Amino acid sequence: MGSTDTTSPSTGLTGEEGNFDVFKNDILMLHVPLPPDQAWIDKLENKYPGFKVRWVHRSWQDYGRDDETTAAEEYEGVTMLCSFYPHKAELLPKLKWVQLTSAGADPWLQHPLYLNKEVVFCTANGCHPPQIAEWVIGTYLMLSHHFLSYHDAAVQHGQSQVLRHLTTVDSPGMRMGILGYGAIGRQVARVAQAMGMEIYAYTRRPKPTPESRKDDSYHVPGTGDPDGVIPTKWFSGSSREDIDHFLAQDLDVLVVSLPLTESTKQIIGRKQFDILSKKKTFLSNIARGQHVDTDALVEALKEGKIRGAALDVTDPEPLPEGHELLKMPGKCFVTPHVSWQTPFYFERVKAILEQNLERMRKGERLVNLMDRESGY
């Protein structure tokens, strides 16, 4: 059969059906905190004749920082980049595609390469949901069932002392609000629904039809809510008033899973905690620390406006030693931005890379293609 030229209007990348040497002049550079996977490199280079993979192993200590250690000559000829952090634009004059290793692009938003509309950006959306959903549910259960208090009492006094004054709360009939119903939010919803919770979803754009509620981004098979059928109610809007209306829906649990943009900074402050105080909502933040006004959160916990909080992200991050949020073990649980970690993470990133290379070859729309206007 003859080959067919196809161009994706959504990416500006041209491919050719049946043509596997479309990448013969391309070099993909990966910056990841793992040693090179030579078998994977060989598979791609054998599949696409002339295609080269340049794998740069960064230490975990350096991962997440702007790169200052890679020699300039390593960037020569690079047309595709897989990385979390930005790189100097002048070193990448031929760059046409960035595959982020993160779900968010906030480190890039003012970077010259991001502002160049000729460079296509895709996220690693879908690599995080299984492990982050487990973090959300695990920390919620730990605090609502007082596991730490029971453990500390057993260590100090033995198991003969039972803390009868603690009130354990189980999940059936509770209402969870998910502020940002993306890939992570959908997997949180799946697990919470299995526990008997009712789910309310919030998105920036309206989702009025069954088709609009579907999600075509990458997801681990058997996870998430790709058809958008779990929430009982959907809410939307870009204004603070829209969000306040959502928060006023008698939520027992609020999960913050928004991307960080200028419009979402400190989206939860004193006014919002006053709204949440009606139900003494439990807050879980696995997005970015800057979504929440830290001083207002401390006040809300001290004054009993909310039942508790689980934070994998904080503002500032990390919290300084002795910070108030670290002195509330029965009400607030803090981890150092680790909910995303899993030994399978970069296997999923590689799966997205492979899908996108094949889609690019065919001129199809890429997986997890970023919306520049929204910043995610």
Side-chain angles (χ1 to χ4, degrees):
M1 294 179 62
S3 61
T4 302
D5 290 335
T6 56
T7 301
S8 170
S10 57
T11 66
L13 299 174
T14 302
E16 188 173 320
E17 186 68 39
N19 182 9
F20 284 85
D21 65 357
V22 67
F23 301 131
K24 62 184 177 182
N25 297 317
D26 286 305
I27 298 175
L28 167 65
M29 174 182 275
L30 285 85
H31 274 242
V32 293
L34 294 172
D37 181 345
Q38 193 58 50
W40 184 80
I41 294 172
D42 291 343
K43 180 175 71 171
L44 290 185
E45 293 184 345
N46 290 332
K47 182 176 182 178
Y48 305 113
F51 182 61
K52 297 298 180 185
V53 177
R54 197 172 290 167
W55 187 305
V56 179
H57 178 199
R58 299 296 304 279
S59 69
W60 279 106
Q61 290 75 18
D62 292 332
Y63 187 63
R65 304 177 188 173
D66 291 1
D67 183 52
E68 298 290 343
T69 60
T70 305
E73 54 266 25
E74 286 289 315
Y75 289 94
E76 186 175 346
V78 170
T79 57
M80 304 173 180
L81 176 68
C82 179
S83 177
F84 168 68
Y85 45 85
H87 297 247
K88 294 178 180 178
E90 60 269 24
L91 295 175
L92 294 161
K94 297 181 179 181
L95 192 68
K96 62 182 180 183
W97 174 45
V98 175
Q99 174 61 62
L100 298 175
T101 62
S102 58
D106 37 295
W108 287 82
L109 296 184
Q110 301 304 316
H111 193 274
L113 289 172
Y114 185 85
L115 298 176
N116 178 1
K117 296 304 194 320
E118 297 299 314
V119 180
V120 175
F121 274 75
C122 296
T123 72
N125 198 30
C127 294
H128 309 73
Q131 63 271 31
I132 291 184
E134 291 178 14
W135 186 98
V136 170
I137 299 302
T139 53
Y140 167 73
L141 291 175
M142 183 184 65
L143 287 170
S144 61
H145 285 258
H146 310 290
F147 290 158
L148 291 181
S149 297
Y150 283 120
H151 176 265
D152 290 345
V155 170
Q156 295 175 22
H157 307 289
Q159 291 187 313
S160 59
Q161 179 175 341
V162 180
L163 304 179
R164 298 291 186 189
H165 67 282
L166 297 179
T167 303
T168 298
V169 181
D170 57 13
S171 302
M174 284 199 167
R175 179 175 296 160
M176 173 183 283
I178 300 179
L179 187 59
Y181 200 66
I184 294 170
R186 288 170 186 252
Q187 176 63 6
V188 173
R190 185 185 185 108
V191 180
Q193 184 192 53
M195 294 165 53
M197 289 191 185
E198 179 183 39
I199 307 300
Y200 281 12
Y202 185 95
T203 59
R204 186 173 182 271
R205 297 187 182 91
K207 307 284 185 182
T209 66
E211 189 64 29
S212 68
R213 293 172 181 175
K214 293 182 178 180
D215 178 27
D216 62 357
S217 64
Y218 172 82
H219 66 277
V220 176
T223 68
D225 179 25
D227 292 325
V229 296
I230 291 177
T232 305
K233 286 188 177 182
W234 290 73
F235 297 78
S236 64
S238 57
S239 71
R240 297 293 173 114
E241 290 75 19
D242 293 326
I243 290 177
D244 289 350
H245 175 63
F246 174 68
L247 299 180
Q249 301 303 308
D250 291 337
L251 306 177
D252 296 290
V253 183
L254 173 65
V255 179
V256 180
S257 56
L258 292 166
L260 182 65
T261 64
E262 284 301 319
S263 64
T264 63
K265 287 182 178 179
Q266 296 209 342
I267 204 77
I268 306 294
R270 287 181 174 83
K271 179 181 178 182
Q272 288 69 40
F273 283 121
D274 285 341
I275 295 171
L276 296 173
S277 67
K278 178 182 177 182
K279 286 283 288 187
K280 294 189 182 300
T281 305
F282 182 93
L283 172 70
S284 182
N285 186 8
I286 45 76
R288 293 290 186 266
Q290 289 173 274
H291 287 310
V292 178
D293 181 330
T294 300
D295 292 340
L297 171 59
V298 171
E299 291 176 12
L301 287 165
K302 284 184 173 180
E303 296 172 11
K305 291 182 179 180
I306 60 175
R307 185 153 50 95
L311 311 171
D312 188 47
V313 289
T314 57
D315 184 25
E317 187 178 305
L319 292 172
E321 187 175 348
H323 193 278
E324 288 293 324
L325 290 175
L326 302 176
K327 299 177 180 179
M328 305 179 186
K331 291 185 176 181
C332 184
F333 183 75
V334 182
T335 57
H337 206 152
V338 295
S339 66
W340 65 274
Q341 292 184 1
T342 171
F344 309 113
Y345 186 87
F346 287 100
E347 292 302 313
R348 295 168 190 165
V349 171
K350 289 189 293 183
I352 294 174
L353 273 168
E354 290 188 56
Q355 284 189 31
N356 274 335
L357 284 170
E358 190 61 12
R359 288 184 177 222
M360 198 182 304
R361 181 182 72 82
K362 296 178 179 179
E364 296 176 352
R365 179 181 173 84
L366 302 187
V367 175
N368 295 350
L369 184 66
M370 282 198 64
D371 179 346
R372 292 297 230 288
E373 292 184 7
S374 300
Y376 56 89

